[in-house]
Amino acid sequence: MSKMADLSQYTLPNSTDVCLLDCMTAFKNLTDQEKRYAHHVSQAAWYGGLIVLVQTSPESPGIFLLLQKMFRAQSVDELKTLATTELGLSPEEFDAILIYASGFYANMGNYKSFGDSKFIPNLPKEKFEAVVLGSAACKSDPDKMKALWNAVSDRLYSLENRQRELGLGEKGTTTYFSSNCDLQDAEVAQEFLTAKNLSAYNTRLFKKCAQGSGPVEYEVRLASVETENGPLPGCPDGMLGSHKFTPKGWSTPVTFNVTRGDYSKLMAHVAQALEKAKSAAANDNEVKMLEEYIKSFKTGSIPAHKDGSRYWIRNTGPVVETYIGFIESYRDPFGVRGEFEGFVAVVNKEMSAKFGALVENAEHLLAKLPWPQSYEKDKFLRPDFTSLEVLTFGGSGIPAGINIPNYNEIRQDEGFKNVSLGNVLTAGYKDTKVTFLSDADKELYTKLKIPSFEVQVGLHELLGHGSGKLFHQDENGKFNFDINSVTHTETGGKIDKWYKAGETWESQFSTIAPTYEECRAECVGIYLCLATEALRIFGHEDDDGDDIVYINWLNMVRAGLLALEFYSPETRAWRQAHMNARFVILRVLLEAGEDLVKVEKIKGEDGNPDIRITLDRSKIISVGKPAIGDFLRKLQVYKATADVKNGKEMYDRYSDVHDSDEPHFISLREIVLARKQPRKMFVQHNTSLCGDGSISLASYEASPGGLIQSWVDRFPNTDVDNIIEELWSKDKPYFE
């Protein structure tokens, strides 16, 4: 029997803010050619972003179809009049439908992109049903709308234990694996993929036979336009097809069928849009980049995407910046499969100049990190680092900064790029209400949160994700470090662990890799923001610089407390990599002692339980810096040496949420939940190709109605509906 869910944790309040991701001025300043390039890559990003529906939950494609058909058939205002005058809904209940639809579009599914928990409509099921069945869409095609409602309505509202959050096996819902898969299946599949040197980034895993009822058979399905077997560029012949494989410790082999053609028709739209973008590309690097992406998306080849990423790195200082593909692995419960995302953005030259100065000073700042030079990359490959105004971001959520590509062999040996998404920072990171701080702290925090966060994002992306070496032995037995002279910082002995050929950081550290790496980058940010030269680059000196440091550290410890929202006591699991990381940092700073950080339960001004978190700014250098330095060094050393055992043991210990001693985090979690603020949602522009060949830009009201209308305009006809429905139908047998 499932425990009754607290509905407030699984609904979006009507007060949720919707912000416009404004790129109007930046877009107007582009040339006609740049606008065409931005438009076509935006189309690729939007079509590719629909893949996330299929990657999120079994019901998400059906919900998308239901919402699109309902809002396409009549305007929000018309539907509101109908609902409130004829169908018995209050204005608040209808607003709850709009907020649900907005949240669904903003997250590209019915699970939060930041936190991975499900959200359901905040009104009775029969009221939502009345609107669906009373809508113009249903009057126009009653059989279709009733069938859609019947197919999705139970899962739309269900809060069964396994459906409350994303996870593998009994821990939650995932569509990266068929519903009969568990952790052992994920481990066996990874062992196979590593043995074949086949990347998991663009794959899903389907188990055809349950253990105990015959031979085990798996399908590894690659995303591609092509659906038939054939050559996979960059991979050995015969990769596609059937393979017998005996996992370690097993006495009998299992069958792996490597196929392709997942999301085929959506991938075709992506490839077609990128093909059109080639004629508007600014240079040969962009053309070659697009050609490799197209090859990757047509064939399913990750090596081709890596080659495209190499051209992307070489394309320094573009006016229109883009990246697209199966990128971040946060939402794969096993931490190796990438969620599709694509973005198009315009460079903000003024802010980019500051990031350029940070790059110029990178080697000097890297030398301040708390590990020996032998643990740092042999050569810092100076990346392009720009501040961007986002025009288009297709996917499940929009970050504030990105360090890509995620292919470690490219990052370590060839380079990477950093981007800070400026209009995301300014629109989305203003707190409407600041909780858990003293009044004095609230005032300074409100004033400096965004400028301090800009510093943190810069250091986190460039010198966090961009730092640190992985010790590796290639297939010829050659090491990329001096095995005779390099010593282990924690044991003093010689290095006895490293990455072997075919092994990657993600494949070895698996489930904890995303949060562990985010924690390492966050620690680098707060550690290096103490450097006067880092602050000066961003225009902060003397007392202003001290205040920036204080608010950056205060923001981190407050975030560690807010992180409790993203922990599930029922499964003892974290649902968000960055928030898990920030809680770990809070634990490290509390462990440092000397009252550097205090977390106290108090009575709030409203008479209800509250929390006060304080940071002694006079002890940041003397107590905080050495504590973070020691912890950061261990994070890097365990990562560099592929020491999963010690790395995981340490990280799991700090990740543990318990009530066994002060400050009793499980109890504090109830207060955090009671006072949580809803995460903002973004409405984005649409571009369109006019009859004369020019590109126009449409803007929308910063409201749920505006966000919904932007999606109706984005896919105005039913062509894409048919593709989504076909994908949904194909997947159903694996998730029943």
Side-chain angles (χ1 to χ4, degrees), residues 47-87:
Y47 275 103
L50 296 174
I51 290 169
V52 177
L53 294 167
V54 186
Q55 292 181 306
T56 297
S57 71
E59 64 274 16
S60 284
I63 299 171
F64 177 81
L65 293 173
L66 185 81
L67 295 176
Q68 282 292 96
K69 290 180 185 299
M70 187 166 75
F71 289 114
R72 201 185 276 139
Q74 64 195 129
S75 71
V76 166
D77 288 343
E78 289 168 346
L79 199 57
K80 181 173 185 176
T81 300
L82 175 72
T84 55
T85 60
E86 298 181 34
L87 302 177

Side-chain angles (χ1 to χ4, degrees), residues 47 68 72 710-721:
Y47 275 103
Q68 282 292 96
R72 201 185 276 139
S710 73
W711 277 93
V712 170
D713 292 352
R714 202 159 284 145
F715 297 105
N717 59 52
T718 59
D719 293 352
V720 79
D721 295 13

